[in-house]
Amino acid sequence: MTLSDTISNTLPTNSRTGLRTLARLGFAAKGTVYGLMGLLALLAATGQQEGQTADKKQAVQTLQGLPGGPVLLGLIALGLLAYIVWRLVQAVRDTEDKGSDTGGIARRVGYAASGLVYASLAWYAAQLALSGSADSGSDAKQTLTARVLAWPAGEWIIMLVGVGTIGVGLYQFYQAYSGKFHKHVQSSDIPAGQQNTVYRLGQIGYTARGIVLAIIGYFFIQAGRQSRATAVGSTDEAFDFLANMGPVVLGIVALGLMAYGLYMLVQAKYPVLKV
């Protein structure tokens, strides 16, 4: 019996059910955000009048103009909060059996970080839902970068952040083509005729996500090399970078992010949760 099995068996049934619900809500919210980003980028690539590339916050903001927008935004905020809680549970309870050695602790910290990165997005969606307006803090990344650049060896720190981000992007490629990403989905529960389609969606989605992360990492490296905080960019700027290569390139990556969003929705319905 693994450690996660032991932990799972010691948790009350209601607690396990609640944690699983949190995880599923989180995957659904994350999938919706990525799907919106991909859709907006695809509209831009195909020259639609309303098309525009967008980062996560801008994608969430598009929900505001839809019927029931505040409700949808509230659901996204709650879903992202649920995702954050689930990732913290994974880190603290070690549900994935990573252990307490150096490598295991690093992986568990990674789980927590991957959840907390959505904290500002959850708060942004909540503000939009409650008051109809919110400060996107679009230049917060550049402000923080400028502060770090002012430190001794700040340029090297920013470049290391860039290398690390590229590394995360490359890990997405590894996940895609090793098939390891699929272990988080209960594929046996998916109708037989759809299993291969779902797997391909995941491969395409993780590849597209890896491309975007690698470009963002490149922006950080350029910011460090040039000692210029304004060189840092987010998903929106990554899309613009791809658009400069042509609408076909942007369209392909946009479709990939939509595929990633759909795969997250599948994971929400058929998750493998060790709790």
Side-chain angles (χ1 to χ4, degrees), residues 110-160:
Y111 291 141
S114 70
L116 291 173
V117 75
Y118 288 92
S120 65
L121 182 60
W123 176 240
Y124 180 72
Q127 285 181 301
L128 286 178
L130 294 172
S131 65
S133 63
D135 180 10
S136 66
S138 57
D139 59 352
K141 188 182 295 183
Q142 292 183 2
T143 301
L144 180 60
T145 301
R147 290 177 181 173
V148 175
L149 286 173
W151 297 351
E155 293 90 349
W156 287 99
I157 294 172
I158 294 300
M159 284 192 285
L160 283 174

Side-chain angles (χ1 to χ4, degrees), residues 53-217:
T53 57
D55 61 17
K56 294 182 180 71
K57 288 184 178 178
Q58 292 165 335
V60 165
Q61 192 176 23
T62 62
L63 295 173
Q64 199 171 19
L66 298 178
V71 175
L72 294 173
L73 287 165
L75 290 174
I76 290 294
L78 288 173
L80 292 173
L81 179 61
Y83 183 77
I84 294 167
V85 172
W86 167 243
R87 283 302 206 180
L88 291 175
V89 167
Q90 281 187 304
V92 174
R93 291 189 175 275
D94 191 20
T95 60
E96 303 298 314
D97 292 324
K98 298 303 178 184
S100 298
D101 59 6
T102 303
I105 292 295
R107 292 294 298 276
R108 290 163 66 180
V109 169
Y111 291 141
S114 70
L116 291 173
V117 75
Y118 288 92
S120 65
L121 182 60
W123 176 240
Y124 180 72
Q127 285 181 301
L128 286 178
L130 294 172
S131 65
S133 63
D135 180 10
S136 66
S138 57
D139 59 352
K141 188 182 295 183
Q142 292 183 2
T143 301
L144 180 60
T145 301
R147 290 177 181 173
V148 175
L149 286 173
W151 297 351
E155 293 90 349
W156 287 99
I157 294 172
I158 294 300
M159 284 192 285
L160 283 174
V161 170
V163 170
T165 305
I166 291 174
V168 174
L170 293 175
Y171 183 69
Q172 303 301 300
F173 297 150
Y174 168 72
Q175 289 274 83
Y177 294 98
S178 67
K180 287 185 177 293
F181 70 93
H182 207 47
K183 68 182 180 181
H184 300 297
V185 169
Q186 195 67 260
S187 56
S188 60
D189 291 342
I190 301 171
Q194 300 174 17
Q195 290 179 5
N196 187 60
T197 300
V198 168
Y199 183 81
R200 295 304 177 195
L201 273 177
Q203 280 194 314
I204 294 168
Y206 273 83
T207 301
R209 191 166 182 247
I211 291 169
V212 172
L213 284 169
I215 293 172
I216 293 172

